[in-house]
Amino acid sequence: GDGVGPTFKGLAGSKVTLEGGDEVTADDEYLRTAITDPGKQVVEGFRPIMPERDLTDEQVDQIIAYLNSIGASPS
């Protein structure tokens, strides 16, 4: 698709290249940061447009669990 941001499908557990060239694994800590502080680690080629949201820790945990369920296939 021609979305404005990187897809979340297959994201969890995959390698992500950030602006500046750093490569990180999209683990739970990365996902939590992406959800709660979207401007902190910007994926290369995408500008941070996710609005900041006030989510409870439980809501963030539920989002991370969902992202893990549609995450990278085990290789």
Side-chain angles (χ1 to χ4, degrees), residues 12 28 31-32 35 59-69:
D28 288 3
L31 296 173
R32 183 175 301 280
I35 295 163
Q59 287 171 320
V60 173
D61 289 342
Q62 289 169 347
I63 294 168
I64 291 170
Y66 170 72
L67 293 175
N68 281 321
S69 76

Side-chain angles (χ1 to χ4, degrees), residues 4-6 19 37-43 45-51:
V4 293
E19 282 188 344
D37 188 4
K40 185 170 180 186
Q41 295 177 304
V42 178
V43 174
F46 295 98
R47 37 186 230 303
I49 60 168
M50 282 282 286

Side-chain angles (χ1 to χ4, degrees), residues 6-30:
T7 179
F8 285 115
K9 186 164 177 54
L11 172 63
S14 68
K15 295 269 190 232
V16 179
T17 302
L18 303 177
E19 282 188 344
D22 286 345
E23 191 176 77
V24 298
T25 299
D27 57 11
D28 288 3
E29 184 180 348
Y30 169 86

